[in-house]
Amino acid sequence: MVSAAKDLMKITGTYTNAYVQGYFQYDSKKSGGVTISHLRFAKKPVKSTYYVENPSLVVVSKDNYMYKYDVLDNITTNGTVLLNTNLSSEDLLLSLPNKIKYLLAKKKINLYIIDAYKLVNELGLKNKISTCMESCIFYILGIIPGS
């Protein structure tokens, strides 16, 4: 997903009028570890020198992160979550921790789910979900019309 984040920044910065900035937090495990991408998109030059503390969009590439980490604690009210999961919306809502359900309701979070692994494997891309997730992010954010 780091490649996807870098692609998002490159495509957005090159082909739109938006300014972009990205910082990355890497797990000490490197490959297979958790990486947090802090991306900013703005209409004016971005001069922030710190991680995004209150994101308006949180992208979760593995649904087990919803159970292991506090991924939604600092999301803004009316924010958006894009979650890659193979669970149906009904099964997901039944299985999510109460804290997550509470935050989704309290902060009026827009939740999008997709089974990116299923889609890319049907297309013969063998678990390479980054392009699929990128397309979803472009669509949700309305960065590129018609994406």
Side-chain angles (χ1 to χ4, degrees), residues 5 9 21-25 35-41 50-55:
M9 291 188 321
Q21 180 192 65
Y23 288 114
F24 299 90
Q25 279 180 287
T35 300
I36 300 172
S37 301
H38 299 265
L39 307 181
R40 288 184 174 89
F41 301 87
Y50 49 88
Y51 292 141
V52 174
E53 295 176 9
N54 300 103

Side-chain angles (χ1 to χ4, degrees), residues 7 11 15-17 21-22 24 34 37 39 42 49 55 67-68 72 78 86 88-91 111 125 129-130 134 143:
D7 285 347
I11 292 167
Y15 298 104
T16 72
N17 293 327
Q21 180 192 65
F24 299 90
V34 175
S37 301
L39 307 181
T49 57
Y67 307 91
K68 291 173 65 174
L72 299 185
N78 298 312
N86 64 352
S88 68
S89 57
E90 295 82 17
D91 289 340
L111 176 63
L125 298 175
I129 66 165
S130 59
E134 272 181 62
I143 293 174

